[in-house]
Amino acid sequence: MDWKKFGKSLLFPHIAIMIILAPVSTVFLVYSMVFLGTDSIAAIVSYVLAFYTLTVWCFKIPFLIRFFKTFKYENKYARIWQDDTRLRVNVSLYGGLIWNTAYALLQLGMGFWHNSFWFYSLAGYYISLAVMRSFLLHHTSRHKAGEKMLDELMKYRACGIVFLIMNLALALIIFFMVYWNRTFNHHEITTIALAAYTFTSFTVAIVNIVKYRKYNSPVYSASKAISLASACVSMLILESTMLTTFGGTMNLAERRVLIGVSGGVISAFIIAMAVFMIVQGTKKMKLLNR
């Protein structure tokens, strides 16, 4: 047996095998963590398989980086996506608008069904996000960045005003979390997946806030400010979920203090961002009118 060839095929299997291994090992690992004991043979096999899958994918990282760089520069549609900032902003706004509208309608229906202000406050929060994204999309789908600066500044300032209104719904959400101990209860695996998604969204939102400043477009900046505010509130909801799921040793008073402090900081941040957008928008509009 050619051990060198065998070792190479073991550490660098065919890409088809790697694609099959990824979902199989993930499902097997989740199943073993949920339904099997940690000492069972099947659970140990799932850990080994997951470790092997992660290892071979890590060895493939340099190849994947080269592949995506080549794809980005040689594929026509990838170049269009990379070069067209307006297209990326519109796609982001469309996706956020559809999601926010659907979720707001769901929470509103739950509010009518259960006659609960908890669902009404969630609906109000997501309706506010949908309203901001809709009138930003109304502008970006018709005009390029900086083409109508006065209109952009008006919409930028309007987003700041909506942020202040949205903060009322957020204050209700925080009140229900703290006073009535309302929260979301998920399985441990689901909570971990939500945490990964939330931290990724939060990181991307911060990067985009800095990245899109170079375009000198108030509408683009407002769209990324919406994403950042949404990510901050998602972090609060994730914190409440994780305290419910994993905070078995923490009593109710401690959870209330922690959520209250975090909610107060996030609410203050959104108010500060809203005031900044209103003041800056008004100031630049006056300069432009002069």
Side-chain angles (χ1 to χ4, degrees):
M1 177 183 289
D2 189 347
W3 291 102
K4 184 177 180 180
K5 185 177 180 180
F6 174 75
K8 185 176 180 180
S9 62
L10 187 65
L11 294 176
F12 300 96
H14 193 273
I15 189 64
I17 297 176
M18 295 176 61
I19 292 173
I20 294 172
L21 275 175
V24 169
S25 62
T26 302
V27 172
F28 192 19
L29 180 64
V30 171
Y31 178 82
S32 66
M33 293 176 67
V34 175
F35 298 105
L36 304 177
T38 57
D39 298 331
S40 64
I41 296 176
I44 295 173
V45 171
S46 72
Y47 300 152
V48 173
L49 182 62
F51 175 76
Y52 171 72
T53 304
L54 180 62
T55 301
V56 296
W57 274 103
C58 287
F59 282 138
K60 211 73 173 179
I61 286 177
F63 167 78
L64 293 173
I65 292 174
R66 290 194 301 269
F67 171 79
F68 283 114
K69 281 185 176 180
T70 304
F71 179 81
K72 183 175 70 172
Y73 291 112
E74 294 183 358
N75 185 272
K76 179 179 69 174
Y77 299 105
R79 289 201 310 271
I80 292 174
W81 176 262
Q82 181 69 23
D83 298 335
D84 196 340
T85 306
R86 182 183 172 191
L87 173 64
R88 297 199 304 272
V89 171
N90 283 339
V91 169
S92 175
L93 287 172
Y94 268 118
L97 175 61
I98 293 171
W99 163 250
N100 293 151
T101 303
Y103 202 69
L105 291 175
L106 173 63
Q107 298 300 325
L108 191 61
M110 295 286 285
F112 284 128
W113 181 263
H114 295 285
N115 194 24
S116 170
F117 279 104
W118 163 251
F119 294 111
Y120 288 145
S121 59
L122 287 171
Y125 163 71
Y126 284 102
I127 287 173
S128 300
L129 293 179
V131 166
M132 286 189 286
R133 285 189 163 116
S134 64
F135 63 70
L136 290 181
L137 189 58
H138 181 268
H139 180 90
T140 58
S141 60
R142 288 166 173 77
H143 307 288
K144 296 180 180 179
E147 187 176 353
K148 289 196 172 185
M149 185 58 70
L150 185 60
D151 287 348
E152 288 200 31
L153 289 170
M154 290 176 64
K155 287 177 170 57
Y156 182 77
R157 185 177 66 175
C159 282
I161 296 171
V162 177
F163 270 134
L164 291 178
I165 299 172
M166 185 188 78
N167 202 65
L168 297 176
L170 177 58
L172 277 175
I173 293 173
I174 297 170
F175 172 77
F176 284 119
M177 284 181 175
V178 174
Y179 189 78
W180 295 108
N181 195 31
R182 294 302 300 265
T183 183
F184 301 90
N185 194 6
H186 298 290
H187 191 273
E188 288 88 346
I189 303 298
T190 307
T191 304
I192 293 171
L194 288 173
Y197 172 77
T198 302
F199 280 108
T200 302
S201 301
F202 186 73
T203 304
V204 171
I206 293 175
V207 171
N208 283 337
I209 279 285
V210 178
K211 180 180 178 181
Y212 277 78
R213 286 177 62 87
K214 67 181 180 182
Y215 297 109
N216 194 29
S217 170
V219 167
Y220 287 4
S221 296
S223 69
K224 300 310 168 185
I226 295 170
S227 298
L228 180 59
S230 177
C232 287
V233 177
S234 297
M235 289 288 286
L236 176 64
I237 294 175
L238 174 64
E239 178 188 3
S240 176
T241 304
M242 294 190 74
L243 288 175
T244 304
T245 307
F246 301 109
T249 59
M250 186 176 291
N251 59 43
L252 180 59
E254 292 172 336
R255 288 203 300 268
R256 282 176 170 173
V257 170
L258 193 58
I259 294 174
V261 171
S262 301
V265 170
I266 291 173
S267 179
F269 171 74
I270 292 177
I271 291 174
M273 187 165 60
V275 172
F276 175 82
M277 293 172 70
I278 294 171
V279 172
Q280 285 293 105
T282 303
K283 182 179 178 182
K284 289 182 179 181
M285 285 171 62
K286 289 181 178 178
L287 290 174
L288 197 62
N289 285 327
R290 288 177 186 174

